[in-house]
């Protein structure tokens, strides 16, 4: 039996990149809340500007600016994902992870220590660049180093690490928000120290064996890459050199088949006057891109960013007032438990069944939440719910409890299905020779729609109210069920090479 200790060592430090993504999501609603970066309602001092200097400042920002601050990290992630699209297969998996860790460190310290608002925004943008590199390389690397029988669990466990990061962010945000109005700086600073641990750990893990075999197949002198690939496989298989040699022979054969297939596709394209080379060869076989980009798009537009980035304010709308940040901590804990269930059972039940179960849970929960928020009323006399501030919205206590329960079911459904399985699928379905660039397209789609939903949530809540917003997500959740039923394949138990052949059929 293979010893997976070294495999878990590598997984842990690569997955910290996901934890730091989740952590930023978790602290967002506590950073961008009144009494922290935003001025409290009873604040009487000078309000900061974009260029005003000093610590202890707070700012009064428009809805659009708050949306920009919430999404600036995701905008940064889109930029770095573009870099990954073109250069990821030149950079290599390990160096890409190290670049992500270094950018996390720089972004955290710049955002936390800047005495000016524009410096905070710059730091969050750099942090977002790190998200792009880390979230691109993590599913790639983990899928490529994992045996088929545990690949689903490990790639899904990366999502569990993201959710643990969210929980840690919710908890840290709650604790530091109690300390002072500058607690938001400490929330961000914690991320820099976690990133330093990631940078040090990644330095001790080998390169992806599949990536090395691909380099060997493409180069004129393959001996050094194959020797390094054998050493990496021996490391990941716990020193089982015979098993590593057998796996290397299989990888070498599968990569040669894959490259021959790609050359045939290139020949057909050139015969018809098309030129597909380098990163753009990812578009030569559209089926994996349709499935991959479709699943990550639906993952975002069914509302998950809105619930997480604005969790504290959503709970305030449900009438929980000052205890809202504590409810957000509970939300993070529920997400973590649901994700761990998927990690435990994904290689048993399969990808499609869990997606369908999770999306169905989301659909029911969104209907309950839309009904619950429709009972909201404004505690300020003479104001309608549309005119009322979030802090003054309440709902009947019974409906508030039902609505919060609905939110818990919603995030549980997301973590049973979309959360872990979307990233698992896009790590599995793309051919090895274009896996880096193709996954970049899917990741860029993910971040792009995440930005759009996050940036527009506050405005949509103003225009349609929370009920209208949840009703929109309900309709999109129904669309997701249809998409999964008709287009998403089952990849359980198959090697990456078998999946590649299936997607090309």
């Amino acid at each position: 039996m293979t010893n997976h200790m070294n495999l878990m060592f590598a997984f842990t430090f690569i997955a910290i990149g996901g934890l730091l993504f989740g952590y930023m999501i978790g602290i967002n609603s506590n950073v961008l809340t009144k009494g922290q970066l935003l001025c409290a309602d009873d604040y009487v001092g000078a309000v900061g500007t974009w260029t005003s200097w000093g610590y202890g400042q707070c700012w009064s920002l428009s809805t659009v600016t708050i949306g920009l601050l919430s999404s600036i990290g995701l905008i940064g992630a889109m930029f770095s994902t573009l870099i990954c699209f073109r250069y990821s297969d030149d950079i290599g998996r390990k160096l890409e992870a190290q670049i992500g860790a270094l950018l996390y460190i720089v972004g955290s310290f710049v955002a936390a220590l800047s005495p000016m608002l524009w410096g905070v925004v710059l730091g969050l943008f750099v942090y977002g660049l790190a998200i792009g590199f880390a979230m691109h390389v993590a599913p790639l690397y983990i899928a490529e180093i994992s045996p088929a029988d545990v690949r689903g669990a490990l790639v899904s466990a990366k999502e569990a690490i993201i959710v643990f990061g969210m929980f840690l962010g919710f908890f840290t945000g709650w604790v530091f928000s109690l300390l002072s109005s500058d607690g938001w700086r400490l929330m961000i600073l914690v991320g820099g120290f976690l990133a330093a641990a990631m940078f040090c750990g990644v330095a001790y893990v080998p390169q992806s064996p599949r990536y090395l075999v691909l380099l060997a197949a493409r180069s004129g002198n393959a001996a050094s890459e194959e020797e390094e690939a054998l050493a990496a496989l021996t490391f990941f298989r716990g020193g089982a050199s015979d098993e590593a040699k057998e796996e290397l022979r299989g990888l070498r054969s599968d990569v040669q088949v894959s490259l021959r297939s790609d050359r045939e596709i290139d020949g057909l394209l050139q015969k018809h006057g098309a030129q597909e080379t380098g990163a753009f060869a990812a578009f030569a076989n559209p089926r994996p891109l349709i499935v991959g980009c479709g699943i990550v798009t639906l993952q975002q537009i069914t509302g998950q960013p809105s619930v997480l980035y604005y969790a504290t304010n959503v709970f305030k709308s449900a009438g929980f007032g000052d205890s809202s940040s504590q409810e957000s901590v509970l939300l993070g804990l529920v997400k973590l438990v649901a994700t761990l269930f998927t990690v435990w059972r994904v290689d048993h039940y399969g990808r499609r069944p869990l997606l369908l179960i999770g999306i169905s849970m989301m659909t029911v929960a969104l209907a309950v939440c839309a009904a619950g928020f429709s009972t909201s009323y404004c505690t300020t006399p003479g104001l309608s719910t549309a005119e009322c501030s979030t802090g003054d919205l309440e709902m009947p206590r019974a409906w508030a409890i039902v609505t919060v329960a609905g939110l818990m079911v919603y995030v549980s459904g997301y973590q049973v299905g979309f959360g872990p399985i979307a990233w698992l699928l896009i790590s599995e379905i793309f051919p090895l020779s274009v896996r880096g660039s193709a996954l970049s397209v899917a990741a860029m789609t993910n971040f792009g729609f995440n930005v759009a939903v996050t940036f527009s949530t506050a405005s949509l809540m103003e225009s349609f109210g929370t009920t209208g917003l949840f009703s929109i997500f309900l309709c999109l959740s129904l669309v997701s069920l249809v998409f999964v039923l008709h287009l998403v394949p089952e990849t359980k138990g198959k090697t990456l090479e078998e999946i590649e052949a299936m997607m090309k059929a």
Side-chain angles (χ1 to χ4, degrees), residues 74-103:
L74 296 172
I75 294 171
M78 289 182 64
F79 273 93
S80 54
T81 303
L82 280 171
I83 297 172
C84 293
F85 174 74
R86 176 60 184 85
Y87 295 107
S88 67
D89 288 330
D90 299 320
I91 295 172
R93 316 306 192 219
K94 179 174 176 176
L95 181 57
E96 187 178 338
Q98 290 176 305
I99 292 170
L102 186 60
L103 289 171

Side-chain angles (χ1 to χ4, degrees), residues 184-501:
W184 64 271
R185 293 185 183 274
L186 298 175
M187 300 174 203
I188 297 173
L189 194 61
V190 167
F193 292 105
L194 292 172
M198 175 185 173
F199 185 84
C200 295
V202 171
Y204 289 96
V205 303
Q207 182 61 271
S208 158
R210 277 184 170 83
Y211 174 75
L212 291 169
V213 172
L214 178 62
L215 286 183
R218 286 174 168 172
S219 66
N221 182 14
S224 61
E225 284 88 356
E226 290 207 355
E227 184 178 341
E228 191 177 348
L230 178 59
L233 279 170
T234 303
F235 175 87
F236 290 124
R237 302 303 173 252
S241 57
D242 291 339
E243 181 181 341
K245 288 177 182 177
E246 181 66 28
E247 188 170 348
L248 178 61
R249 283 192 289 271
L251 282 178
R252 188 188 299 122
S253 174
D254 290 333
V255 166
Q256 292 294 346
V257 171
S258 177
L259 290 178
R260 280 199 300 271
S261 177
D262 290 338
R263 284 192 288 269
E264 290 171 4
I265 292 174
D266 288 342
L268 288 173
L269 289 167
Q270 291 173 10
K271 181 179 178 181
H272 289 86
Q275 304 247 338
E276 290 290 343
T277 58
F280 293 94
F283 294 97
N285 184 16
R287 186 187 173 195
L289 281 175
I290 291 171
V291 174
C293 292
I295 202 74
V296 296
T297 297
L298 293 166
Q299 178 193 39
Q300 297 302 322
I301 63 175
T302 46
Q304 182 71 358
S306 302
V307 172
L308 294 178
Y309 280 93
Y310 297 93
T312 299
N313 287 335
V314 167
F315 281 118
K316 285 181 179 178
S317 295
F320 283 87
D322 294 336
S323 68
S324 299
S325 59
Q326 297 172 44
E327 304 296 336
S328 297
V329 175
L330 178 60
L331 187 72
L333 182 60
V334 169
K335 283 175 64 66
L336 181 59
V337 172
T339 308
L340 290 175
F341 169 80
T342 299
V343 172
W344 175 46
R345 303 308 290 168
V346 66
D347 284 317
H348 177 76
Y349 292 134
R351 285 53 161 164
R352 272 172 54 90
L354 288 177
L355 270 175
L356 293 171
I357 291 169
I359 297 170
S360 298
M361 291 171 64
M362 290 170 61
T363 304
V364 172
L366 286 167
V368 170
C369 290
F373 281 110
S374 69
T375 68
S376 297
Y377 59 90
C378 186
T379 58
T380 303
L383 293 182
S384 66
T385 54
E387 300 166 324
C388 194
S389 67
T390 303
D392 293 329
L393 278 175
E394 288 190 9
M395 63 175 65
R397 191 64 181 176
W399 268 111
I401 294 171
V402 169
T403 302
V404 169
L407 285 173
M408 299 302 179
V409 173
Y410 170 79
V411 298
S412 297
Y414 179 88
Q415 294 309 140
V416 167
F418 271 140
I421 293 179
W423 286 97
L424 171 57
L425 280 172
I426 65 174
S427 75
E428 294 179 324
I429 61 176
F430 297 122
L432 173 63
S433 58
V434 295
R435 187 170 292 144
S437 52
L439 196 142
S440 297
V441 176
M444 194 160 32
T445 303
N446 179 282
F447 290 130
F449 279 98
N450 198 328
V451 169
V453 174
T454 302
F455 190 83
S456 61
T457 292
S459 298
L460 288 171
M461 286 181 72
E462 280 191 356
S463 300
F464 299 102
T466 314
T467 301
L469 187 64
F470 276 79
S471 298
I472 292 170
F473 295 149
L474 170 61
C475 294
L476 293 170
S477 185
L478 292 170
V479 172
S480 302
L481 283 172
V482 175
F483 181 87
V484 173
L485 278 169
H486 291 283
L487 292 175
V488 175
E490 181 56 69
T491 59
K492 181 186 73 170
K494 295 180 172 64
T495 67
L496 294 178
E497 289 71 34
E498 288 171 340
I499 296 169
E500 179 177 341

